[in-house]
Amino acid sequence: METILAFVIGGLFGAGIFMMLRRSIVKFIIGLGLIAHAANLLIFTVAGLTRGEPPLIPPTMTELAEDAPFGDPMPSALILTAIVISFSVLAFAMVLVHRVYQTVGSDDIDDMQSTDT
Amino acid sequence: MSMLLILPIVIPLFTASMSLVFRRSRRVQRWLAVSGSVAMVASGATLLWRVWDDGILAGQAGGWRAPFGITLVADLFSAIMVLTASVVGLLTILYAIGSLDEGRRRFGFYPLTHVLLMGVCGTFLTGDMFNLYVWFEVMLIASFVLLALGGEQPQMEGAIKYVALNLVASVIFLMAVGLLYGVAGTLNMADLSIKLRETSNPGLVTAIAMMFLVSFGIKAAIFPLFFWLPASYHTPPIVVSAIFAGLLTKVGAYSMIRVFTLVFTQDINYTHTIILILAGLTMVTGVLGAVAQYDMRRLLSFHIVSQIGYLLMGLGLFSPLALAGAIFFMVHVILAKTALFLIGGIVWRLRGSYQLRDLGGLYASKPALALLFLVPALSLAGVPPLSGFFAKLALVQAGLEDGEYVIAGVALAVGILTLFSMIKIWNEAFWKDQPEGVDLASDEERGLHEPSATPYLYGPVIAMVVLILALGLGAGPLYEMATVASEQLIDPDGYIRAVMGEE
Amino acid sequence: MPLLLVVLAGFLAAPVAPLLSRFGRQREAGWLLPLVPLAITIYLATLIGNVADGETVTASWDWVPALGVRLAFMVDGLSLTFALLIAGIGALVLLYAGAYMEGDPNTDRLYGWLLVFMGSMLGLVLADNVLTLFVFWELTSISSYLLIGFKHAEDESRDSALKALLITFAGGQAMLAGLILLAMTAGTSQISAINLGGAAIRADDLYLPILLLILAGALTKSAQVPFHFWLPAAMAAPTPVSAYLHSATMVKAGVYLLARLSPALGGTDSWFYLLSIVGALTMVVGAFLAFRQTDLKLILAYSTISVLGSLVMLLGIGTTIAVEAAVVTLVVHSFYKGGLFLVAGAIDHETGTRDIRDLSGLARTMPVVAAIAGLAALSLAGIPPFAGFLGKELLYEAVGESEELGVALTVAAMVAKALLVAVAGLVAILPFAGRPSQAARDAHDPPMRMIVAPGLLAVAGLATGLAPSLLSRPLISPASSSILGEPVSVKLALWHGFGTVLLLSAITVVAGALIYAGRRRMVAAAGTLEPLGTVGPSRIYDHALRGLNWLATTQTRLLQTGFLRHYQIAVLITLVTLVGTTLLWRANTIQLGDFDDLHVIEIGLSAMILIAALTAVLTNSRLGAVAALGIIGYSVALIYTIYGAPDLAMAQFLVETLTVILFVLVFYHLPGLAQLSPRKVVIRDAGIAVACGALVTGLVLAATSEQFSPSISTFFTSKTIEEAHSRNIVNAILTDYRALDSLGEITVLALAGAGVFALLKLRPAGTGSDEPPIASSSAVPSLILQASTRVLLPVLLLFSVFLLFRGHNDPGGGFTGGLVAAAAFALYAIAYDAESARRALRVEPHTLMGAGLLVAVASGLVGVLLGEPFLTAQWLSFDLVGFGHLELSTVLAFDIGIYLVVLGVTLVIILSLAEE
């Protein structure tokens, strides 16, 4: 499954990059969302996939050996944090895009060159 | 765990939260901002003293031992950076008190700045790769908001470019951290240093290292990843530009140095040669960009890029002398750049424009300001006996000693061009007369109706100039500190032992 | 200590004049300040005795020892000679300047920078450490720049100053590299030690590069061909500056350096040929160009260049006689040239012009000045019994004696000297003889201070000529000894008997007189060489500057195109190149994993994700894109569920929902998607995208095909129950093990909220939205919805709190709880309007955010109060009647903080957007 997911991740990332290269700021935001998904999936996949065993210790167990059969909880925690952070940033970016559109009057990034030259 | 390790993080967070709660009152916000900054400087100084006396200081947040919890580590390099950042934070906040408009103040400039400082200090003190990502994001989003705060059109346009490229950098960073965890099973930097020494696929590790290079490189604004900087840094109010100039790119450079001396040292010939090449290109393209500018802020923005090249040079050469030079250079360039931006702000206030062609006559009418400008400008160009000279001297010496004549030559040549562009500002803004009939900002915009602001504007500048002079004339003891710091970087065993305990 | 004071005196005295003028006492400065260099001169004079006996006076302090920079000073013959010249002439120039600059309000700045310069120059010649020398070297460049540009409002002054600075600074930078290499090769940066190890240095591989680099500095500073052109331009400076810097002191710094390092670097063929050829060339060219000028200062400037050339040439020859000749010429030149410059200044001051075509008959109106000019000019022409004659004799002796190139050098010397004789005439005869011209008629002798200075210098030229032993024992001998590296005793005498040298001198004078007599025809003839000027170094400099500006502008235009996607492409190409090359070249080959053990649902989900991604790319419908994103998000959440990450899946679901809502709210204001780019661009972008995707795929495949070390998670699994009191390991990681991450995370959240708020509410005047806000009134007015919402709100809130509390042992937690609570209020806003939702909330969302942060930080500090690290969980467990075993902890408080922040931020964003 890792292999298939590798291609999924690559596909998501590529799609996201393609969108970010477009001239419309709306497509740009969508691209951001796509590559964020790719990154999260990447962390998840690369850390090792174990099917079905959530890292929740049933009330019956009171002691655990180190090699207890749970999935790796770390990537979950990392991705959770990353999701929240990405969401925050994405939210801000979306509102920024909205304000940019209001100020510049166009959704075409090519019209936003005045600060460069 | 010593309180000193988390104070640089907790103090600004506390200050920012309280500022958020008391956002109606201008006086309370100002008072909070200043006292918070002063507290940060005090804790930073204490931390530096402690690390200088007792060696590398490490502590585990949450009480869980390394590598399972998040480690906070202060070696000399980190401590120096924390103190420098706190000082710059304090001085720019003082300047902001004198220059900031009410609208931006009401919508959170001071808490934003403190959160920015929190993120910056977090990156300096963390010993965990994912935690590094978190602090980067804290810093980043604070900078997004600061950049866009006010909503004027140039800000919006600049913000899009800034946000876009820095978000790409964040995603690359995140992916690299994920890969690193997948490959090494740990996120603690010291632990990584140990684990990555014996890997079955060192090439993959180097590839991941390249990802970090790109990600940090975007944030540090190296060639060919820097184009967002000259497009955005000059759009917000000058005090924001000054904070950015002094701190943000330096965090990227710091992370590169940290990561490429502690974690990714398996393939030095490959990685550090690439870094050295990029250093040279960065220096040259940055300074050429500056030479072409006639807007003071854009000129200084391009210089930020060029100076980062020197830091990279120190990293690429990877010798004790080179790294000591890089550390010294880091402190020097933070002070010099921030000072120059703030002086630019004063010039704008006096003459109403940032366009060099429309300025003039300041040497005759404001000789004190002219002298204040000369010090950081000449220091940046590497004129002795100022701080920049000793920083460059160390780097050039390191280059010549290692037989890297090309980069040493480039470093010197770029210094000439840096001088040339600084003289351009001097000629246009200070020496020549101001031309008639040009488009200037109104007195109202410039805030000239508030004369009480002047000590807040000049005070920080004077302080920074004094520091630059001290750094140059008193370079001996400070350089000694940098040497010890660089030794800690070159040989990570001390760091690892402090973090992981004796093993 | 006194040596340090000698050097620092200039710097310390510099602010005196500006300070005095603050109190209106500028004129007093003109009398006070010359005392400083005078005191230095007197002190230095006391050292003459010791130095003449062969002793040296030293002092040194640490500066940056790790870099080899020691503040080390040494007084030997060479440095003492120079130092006396610097201080002595400095005193005279300051005195002169007091009268010359009378009435100029900026005189205090002139004094200041002159004193800074003097201090720097003294530091330069007294330095015994190559890097300290360099420090002062550059300081002289900077102070010279500020002095040349004294009349800064004039374009010409600024341009000339820049020219001088750029050339000397560039040379200086090259010289720095040379000095560093020299110190490296010699193993020390102390000059006296370096000079002792000369043989080893000359034999080293790096000798030639070192020599060339140091020459770059010396030759640029001393205005040798082809770097000479900055010096005439520097005549834009006020005359005292020209007299002091650009004839007597600063331009000699290069010569000083060459002299100082002779024991280490001199004596080789490279040294000889390079210096003697460049020097001789400069000597001739300088004299020639001097002869063609009409401005007094320019004549003097070019003749200075010529003499500097002869000095370099002599040092190149390097024999004992040559060195003696050099030292004598050095001193003598300072006397007469300084004097002549000050005379030129006096003429300018009195008549208003310096053009020799407009001046004549000044002997009538300015007799004293005329006399002084005559004395000095006779020394310049090398007529006995003036000291200049001494120098010339020694010069001829040295070139005649030279083994290689002897004839060529002698001819060159004779040509140059002859021309200089003619020049002397131009300077001292033309303006003064004959009947007074228009300009000369109203002139009179200048004030006393402007006479004393040049007068003393001119008389010195005569006195030392008549009694050469005044110079030879105290100065020339020790100086020559320093240069040669071995003690010599110099005997100077006016009369050496009849010999070739005397004959050559005579020929020179006669030739010079003839040239002077036929000057009009000669100048006209020389005019035919005018076109050579177009390829002169000055033009090259101008072209170079223009080329630099062109290069800079072009590069900026190419790189900063203004198109965001260009920048992105640069980044992406760098990424793919660096990472991809490394991966392919140095990593193990990438293996595709095995394809067994696949479930249909997983393949289905993967396919759905890819199809949705493709849809998002291709669609032109905003809602379609958003829907596609939503599908991707939910599918990913399902994948998380399958692979045992329920907390994560829940969070992903909720966040995806929120994101979709957010998109809808924002897209309300934005235009539709359109296909804007032309076909070629799309293909290019697609190619880049495919490359990036492939790279990422490759990385994932490489990383999953091997796991190196066991992950640290095993620790968490085993510790969680007893030490973390938790059964939900993920939550334990978030709120306990890695609580610092979560603290940062909620900070980011809070900032995003504050940022959105600021973006929407703080605008420049007049940029509001023209459209009505989404939620000004209820978007979906429906009694049913409103009624059910009134019921749902408390229920959802309770549920959210339940999620919060159960999170530590089962899926849930502060984050999910907060999101649910936020969803509740969002629903309220949809049913009613944003205003009502705010009122229902009772507290401002901002306050929730701030409070949440404070609670989280406070929970971390509790442990600190108990002496433990920040964010250490503290537990309090007790049994409560009726409820059983309860555990209170700071972890819960932390989670509450997260809850509050999430609630606050989500509401800020949604409500602010709704009110747009």
Side-chain angles (χ1 to χ4, degrees):
Chain A
M1 187 56 186
E2 282 90 345
T3 316
I4 297 196
L5 276 180
F7 284 95
V8 171
I9 297 171
L12 272 176
F13 192 74
I17 291 290
F18 183 76
M19 292 296 271
M20 287 183 79
L21 290 174
R22 311 258 54 73
R23 279 164 70 175
S24 156
I25 40 181
V26 182
K27 293 197 181 178
F28 173 81
I29 291 289
I30 294 175
L32 261 183
L34 287 171
I35 57 176
H37 278 304
N40 294 339
L41 257 187
L42 183 147
I43 302 180
F44 194 69
T45 312
V46 163
L49 298 171
T50 46
R51 212 177 265 129
E53 297 288 350
L56 294 164
I57 307 169
T60 47
M61 292 177 135
T62 45
E63 279 187 19
L64 279 179
E66 283 217 347
D67 56 350
F70 294 117
D72 193 343
M74 268 291 272
S76 297
L78 298 180
I79 300 176
L80 231 156
T81 313
I83 288 180
V84 175
I85 292 180
S86 309
F87 169 74
S88 315
V89 168
L90 195 67
F92 181 82
M94 276 199 264
V95 176
L96 179 67
V97 160
H98 158 62
R99 284 285 295 124
V100 169
Y101 176 68
Q102 268 188 346
T103 320
V104 177
S106 152
D107 72 330
D108 185 350
I109 297 188
D110 282 3
D111 289 339
M112 303 176 198
Q113 295 181 42
S114 66
T115 60
D116 277 75
T117 41
Chain B
M1 169 180 100
S2 168
M3 272 299 280
L4 288 173
L5 283 171
I6 50 126
L7 277 178
I9 296 173
V10 166
I11 293 178
L13 181 58
F14 181 75
T15 315
S17 320
M18 294 288 278
S19 248
L20 203 55
V21 170
F22 286 102
R23 66 190 173 281
R24 305 265 182 239
S25 163
R26 184 162 105 164
R27 286 190 65 209
V28 173
Q29 271 205 336
R30 281 179 172 184
W31 192 88
L32 270 174
V34 173
S35 38
S37 306
V38 170
M40 275 187 83
V41 171
S43 79
T46 318
L47 177 65
L48 182 60
W49 193 321
R50 175 74 183 279
V51 174
W52 177 246
D53 269 348
D54 295 343
I56 301 180
L57 191 62
Q60 321 295 338
W64 301 100
R65 72 164 201 278
F68 307 109
I70 296 179
T71 312
L72 293 175
V73 189
D75 65 353
L76 258 185
F77 185 31
S78 308
I80 292 174
M81 296 303 296
V82 167
L83 179 60
T84 314
S86 314
V87 168
V88 167
L90 173 64
L91 294 176
T92 46
I93 282 180
L94 284 172
Y95 189 95
I97 291 181
S99 73
L100 195 70
D101 58 288
E102 178 63 14
R104 289 187 172 92
R105 201 267 330 149
R106 249 189 319 128
F107 281 87
F109 172 83
Y110 292 115
L112 283 169
T113 309
H114 272 282
V115 175
L116 185 74
L117 286 171
M118 172 195 185
V120 166
C121 290
T123 53
F124 292 150
L125 290 172
T126 186
D128 178 289
M129 292 302 289
F130 188 79
N131 198 236
L132 185 67
Y133 167 74
V134 173
W135 294 125
F136 256 108
E137 295 303 300
V138 170
M139 194 182 76
L140 209 60
I141 195 153
S143 69
F144 287 172
V145 183
L146 277 171
L147 184 60
L149 190 63
E152 294 163 22
Q153 177 161 351
Q155 287 178 274
M156 296 289 107
E157 292 193 22
I160 279 286
K161 313 220 170 84
Y162 181 81
V163 168
L165 285 163
N166 276 283
L167 284 183
V168 170
S170 294
V171 170
I172 298 176
F173 188 179
L174 190 58
M175 292 198 293
V177 171
L179 285 168
L180 206 56
Y181 181 72
V183 147
T186 175
L187 291 168
N188 184 295
M189 290 187 204
D191 202 20
L192 279 170
S193 181
I194 300 177
K195 294 230 170 96
L196 288 178
R197 280 182 212 172
E198 320 111 34
T199 79
S200 55
N201 196 349
L204 177 60
V205 173
T206 313
I208 299 176
M210 290 291 112
M211 284 185 79
F212 279 106
L213 181 61
V214 171
S215 168
F216 291 148
I218 297 176
K219 296 188 193 287
I222 69 176
F223 178 87
L225 312 164
F226 67 80
F227 309 117
W228 54 271
L229 195 154
S232 59
Y233 263 33
H234 63 283
T235 55
I238 198 79
V239 69
V240 176
S241 307
I243 299 175
F244 284 11
L247 296 179
L248 289 185
T249 44
K250 313 305 179 283
V251 174
Y254 165 87
S255 308
M256 264 202 272
I257 294 179
R258 174 65 69 202
V259 152
F260 280 96
T261 53
L262 179 61
V263 177
F264 293 116
T265 47
Q266 307 83 18
D267 199 355
I268 293 191
N269 277 333
Y270 183 73
T271 50
H272 288 68
T273 310
I274 294 182
I275 292 176
L276 210 55
I277 297 176
L278 289 176
L281 288 169
T282 308
M283 280 189 231
V284 173
T285 49
V287 84
L288 280 179
V291 165
Q293 298 307 317
Y294 275 94
D295 177 322
M296 212 161 42
R297 296 167 300 175
R298 276 175 59 90
L299 200 153
L300 292 173
S301 298
F302 272 102
H303 271 306
I304 300 176
V305 174
S306 181
Q307 302 296 314
I308 291 282
Y310 284 91
L311 293 170
L312 277 191
M313 175 181 166
L315 177 62
L317 289 173
F318 204 67
S319 66
L321 181 60
L323 283 172
I327 295 172
F328 195 96
F329 196 93
M330 185 90 92
V331 178
H332 138 74
V333 81
I334 290 176
L335 288 173
K337 279 249 73 84
T338 315
L340 282 170
F341 268 97
L342 293 183
I343 292 174
I346 296 180
V347 168
W348 179 76
R349 201 176 130 92
L350 290 170
R351 286 283 188 267
S353 172
Y354 288 113
Q355 300 306 316
L356 288 176
R357 292 193 174 103
D358 298 341
L359 292 171
L362 280 169
Y363 180 59
S365 58
K366 298 266 176 210
L369 183 65
L371 282 177
L372 284 177
F373 170 77
L374 265 187
V375 172
L378 293 179
S379 185
L380 205 69
V383 174
L386 298 168
S387 53
F389 168 67
F390 293 102
K392 285 204 184 155
L393 180 64
L395 289 172
V396 170
Q397 264 190 8
L400 289 175
E401 268 177 23
D402 282 353
E404 298 282 355
Y405 300 122
V406 175
I407 192 82
V410 169
L412 289 174
V414 167
I416 302 173
L417 290 176
T418 310
L419 181 68
F420 180 66
S421 56
M422 285 294 130
I423 294 293
K424 189 175 185 173
I425 299 183
W426 176 259
N427 265 347
E428 300 283 329
F430 290 87
W431 259 2
K432 82 167 202 285
D433 287 332
Q434 185 164 29
E436 308 273 321
V438 289
D439 198 18
L440 299 174
S442 68
D443 283 2
E444 179 65 40
E445 280 178 323
R446 295 188 243 165
L448 279 178
H449 54 282
E450 282 188 62
S452 62
T454 315
Y456 287 110
L457 298 180
Y458 278 90
V461 171
I462 294 176
M464 274 190 237
V465 165
V466 167
L467 284 173
I468 294 174
L469 284 170
L471 209 58
L473 296 172
L478 299 151
Y479 188 78
E480 200 194 324
M481 205 183 274
T483 310
V484 176
S486 100
E487 281 160 17
Q488 287 175 350
L489 287 177
I490 290 256
D491 179 16
D493 279 345
Y495 182 104
I496 296 174
R497 242 174 310 134
V499 169
M500 309 282 286
E502 303 290 336
E503 278 175 32
Chain C
M1 195 54 190
L3 270 187
L4 187 62
L5 261 181
V6 161
V7 172
L8 288 182
F11 297 101
L12 293 171
V16 168
L19 272 174
L20 281 179
S21 69
R22 276 240 159 168
F23 297 106
R25 295 211 162 286
Q26 190 164 291
R27 304 188 63 207
E28 276 74 352
W31 292 101
L32 266 180
L33 290 174
L35 293 176
V36 174
L38 185 62
I40 296 177
T41 317
I42 295 176
Y43 169 71
L44 288 172
T46 62
L47 296 177
I48 292 183
N50 301 4
V51 170
D53 287 335
E55 295 168 24
T56 57
V57 181
T58 60
S60 79
W61 298 267
D62 270 342
W63 195 352
V64 188
L67 292 175
V69 184
R70 280 180 66 82
L71 201 61
F73 300 113
M74 173 179 74
V75 182
D76 68 352
L78 178 62
S79 54
L80 184 61
T81 309
F82 263 91
L84 281 169
L85 281 175
I86 295 168
I89 300 185
L92 292 174
V93 165
L94 277 174
L95 189 67
Y96 177 97
Y100 182 84
M101 303 288 299
E102 190 85 39
D104 188 324
N106 288 325
T107 314
D108 54 346
R109 299 183 196 191
L110 188 79
Y111 288 140
W113 294 122
L114 272 176
L115 283 165
V116 168
F117 169 77
M118 185 187 77
S120 317
M121 196 68 207
L122 281 171
L124 200 163
V125 301
L126 291 174
D128 191 25
N129 175 296
V130 285
L131 293 168
T132 308
L133 191 152
F134 180 78
V135 169
F136 289 111
W137 182 282
E138 295 296 37
L139 279 174
T140 62
S141 295
I142 296 288
S143 43
S144 158
Y145 170 75
L146 290 163
L147 285 166
I148 296 177
F150 183 74
K151 299 182 218 139
H152 49 83
E154 292 168 27
D155 287 355
E156 195 199 330
S157 293
R158 292 199 305 273
D159 291 339
S160 307
L162 180 65
K163 192 182 292 190
L165 181 66
L166 278 183
I167 295 172
T168 51
F169 191 77
Q173 296 293 98
M175 186 181 85
L176 177 63
L179 289 174
I180 296 177
L181 285 173
L182 179 63
M184 257 169 56
T185 317
T188 169
S189 44
Q190 191 184 2
I191 299 183
S192 34
I194 293 178
N195 278 337
L196 288 175
I201 296 172
R202 287 188 287 275
D204 196 291
D205 287 335
L206 285 174
Y207 170 75
L208 194 56
I210 292 177
L211 179 63
L212 289 172
L213 287 169
I214 293 184
L215 278 185
L219 298 181
T220 47
K221 191 71 127 186
S222 288
Q224 300 296 296
V225 166
F227 307 115
H228 62 284
F229 56 96
W230 66 266
L231 189 51
M235 293 300 116
T239 307
V241 174
S242 307
Y244 192 31
L245 273 70
H246 304 125
S247 71
T249 53
M250 188 179 93
V251 292
K252 299 216 169 87
V255 172
Y256 168 79
L257 185 66
L258 291 173
R260 174 55 79 207
L261 290 178
S262 289
L265 297 176
T268 62
D269 282 344
S270 327
W271 173 273
F272 172 75
Y273 282 107
L274 278 170
L275 273 102
S276 56
I277 294 179
V278 169
L281 192 61
T282 308
M283 183 172 65
V284 174
V285 168
F288 179 71
L289 290 174
F291 181 65
R292 296 189 48 222
Q293 301 303 318
T294 53
D295 179 323
L296 271 175
K297 279 178 76 173
L298 284 178
I299 298 176
L300 294 173
Y302 278 107
S303 63
T304 304
I305 293 177
S306 172
V307 173
L308 289 172
S310 67
L311 287 173
V312 170
M313 179 184 75
L314 285 169
L315 284 175
I317 298 174
T319 58
T320 311
I321 288 287
V323 167
E324 288 168 13
V327 179
V328 171
T329 309
L330 190 93
V331 173
V332 160
H333 173 260
S334 300
F335 290 157
Y336 69 68
K337 197 50 75 62
L340 283 172
F341 259 108
L342 295 179
V343 162
I347 296 178
D348 193 10
H349 192 252
E350 297 301 324
T351 67
T353 176
R354 296 192 304 252
D355 193 324
I356 50 176
R357 295 171 296 193
D358 297 334
L359 292 167
S360 74
L362 284 170
R364 298 274 176 84
T365 49
M366 299 169 69
V368 182
V369 172
I372 296 175
L375 288 178
L378 284 171
S379 201
L380 162 61
I383 312 281
F386 289 88
F389 175 71
L390 280 173
K392 201 170 64 171
E393 293 269 288
L394 284 171
L395 170 69
Y396 284 144
E397 227 185 293
V399 290
E401 229 186 51
S402 169
E403 292 168 9
E404 314 280 332
L405 298 182
V407 176
L409 292 178
T410 313
V411 169
M414 288 181 68
V415 169
K417 290 301 165 194
L419 282 167
L420 285 183
V421 170
V423 163
L426 289 177
V427 168
I429 304 183
L430 260 190
F432 294 98
R435 268 188 313 205
S437 65
Q438 182 69 34
R441 232 159 271 175
D442 301 313
H444 51 79
D445 272 322
M448 181 54 69
R449 285 183 286 176
M450 284 172 67
I451 293 186
V452 165
L456 276 176
L457 288 171
V459 166
L462 175 60
T464 46
L466 287 173
S469 53
L470 272 179
L471 279 183
S472 60
R473 203 189 87 83
L475 292 182
I476 313 293
S477 301
S480 311
S481 310
S482 308
I483 301 177
L484 290 165
E486 56 194 26
V488 293
S489 182
V490 177
K491 305 248 182 311
L492 296 175
L494 267 184
W495 180 250
H496 284 237
F498 287 106
T500 354
V501 173
L502 192 58
L503 183 60
L504 292 177
S505 286
I507 298 177
T508 313
V509 173
V510 169
L514 286 174
I515 297 177
Y516 175 74
R519 65 187 172 280
R520 264 178 262 278
R521 254 170 293 154
M522 305 232 90
V523 172
T528 55
L529 292 171
E530 189 68 53
L532 273 181
T534 50
V535 295
S538 193
R539 294 290 173 86
I540 296 181
Y541 169 84
D542 291 332
H543 284 308
L545 269 191
R546 266 198 297 268
L548 176 66
N549 277 317
W550 173 87
L551 179 66
T553 330
T554 312
Q555 182 208 267
T556 312
R557 217 175 346 113
L558 280 176
L559 294 179
Q560 295 288 135
T561 58
F563 294 106
L564 174 60
R565 58 174 184 286
H566 288 171
Y567 306 161
Q568 287 171 312
I569 291 177
V571 166
L572 294 169
I573 292 184
T574 312
L575 179 70
V576 171
T577 315
L578 275 180
V579 181
T581 325
T582 316
L583 193 60
L584 288 175
W585 180 28
R586 297 177 91 86
N588 305 344
T589 35
I590 300 172
Q591 302 159 334
L592 286 177
D594 44 37
F595 284 96
D596 49 277
D597 192 31
L598 292 174
H599 293 186
V600 173
I601 185 166
E602 293 162 7
I603 303 184
L605 281 175
S606 308
M608 192 141 72
I609 293 178
L610 284 175
I611 296 177
L614 206 59
T615 315
V617 168
L618 294 174
T619 184
N620 275 339
S621 148
R622 290 176 290 169
L623 269 170
V626 171
L629 264 183
I631 292 178
I632 296 177
Y634 293 139
S635 310
V636 169
L638 279 173
I639 293 184
Y640 292 152
T641 323
I642 294 176
Y643 285 100
D647 261 332
L648 181 57
M650 233 180 357
Q652 175 72 46
F653 271 120
L654 287 167
V655 171
E656 199 57 45
T657 315
L658 254 182
T659 312
V660 167
I661 295 179
L662 212 55
F663 266 116
V664 170
L665 283 174
V666 171
F667 281 4
Y668 177 77
H669 296 286
L670 289 170
L673 306 173
Q675 197 66 287
L676 291 172
S677 312
R679 195 119 193 262
K680 264 200 309 190
V681 172
V682 170
I683 295 185
R684 175 197 75 192
D685 292 345
I688 297 177
V690 166
C692 293
L695 175 69
V696 172
T697 304
L699 281 169
V700 175
L701 286 174
T704 51
S705 50
E706 20 196 331
Q707 159 125 58
F708 307 14
S709 330
S711 128
I712 55 176
S713 309
T714 48
F715 172 88
F716 298 133
T717 324
S718 58
K719 293 283 180 214
T720 304
I721 297 190
E722 331 108 45
E723 300 195 26
H725 301 252
S726 153
R727 295 180 175 278
N728 181 346
I729 312 181
V730 175
N731 182 285
I733 295 180
L734 283 174
T735 54
D736 197 346
Y737 298 113
R738 297 187 68 96
L740 192 59
D741 274 350
S742 306
L743 186 65
E745 165 198 347
I746 55 176
T747 312
V748 174
L749 253 188
L751 275 187
V756 166
F757 187 73
L759 264 184
L760 292 174
K761 306 293 181 194
L762 179 64
R763 304 159 186 265
T767 59
S769 167
D770 294 327
E771 303 153 356
I774 301 177
S776 57
S777 60
S778 171
V780 184
S782 153
L783 277 171
I784 302 179
L785 190 58
Q786 290 180 350
S788 40
T789 308
R790 290 202 100 106
V791 173
L792 270 176
L793 182 64
V795 169
L796 280 174
L797 283 178
L798 258 172
F799 181 56
S800 73
V801 173
F802 168 69
L803 277 176
L804 165 67
F805 276 94
R806 104 180 198 138
H808 214 52
N809 291 317
D810 296 297
F815 182 74
T816 35
L819 278 178
V820 170
F825 282 101
L827 194 61
Y828 201 89
I830 295 179
Y832 290 86
D833 54 60
E835 190 54 42
S836 315
R838 282 189 193 276
R839 262 180 286 136
L841 190 57
R842 281 179 232 275
V843 199
E844 279 198 39
H846 272 92
T847 318
L848 280 177
M849 278 167 29
L853 281 174
L854 283 171
V855 167
V857 173
S859 76
L861 288 173
V862 169
V864 171
L865 292 174
L866 297 172
E868 299 202 33
F870 183 57
L871 288 172
T872 310
Q874 308 300 324
W875 293 88
L876 197 64
S877 50
F878 51 89
D879 295 298
L880 191 61
V881 170
F883 285 92
H885 185 80
L886 285 181
E887 291 186 331
L888 284 181
S889 72
T890 53
V891 174
L892 179 61
F894 191 78
D895 231 355
I896 293 178
I898 297 182
Y899 177 95
L900 290 173
V901 172
V902 169
L903 176 60
V905 169
T906 319
L907 283 179
V908 164
I909 296 178
I910 293 189
L911 291 177
S912 305
L913 274 175
E915 284 162 357
E916 258 292 276

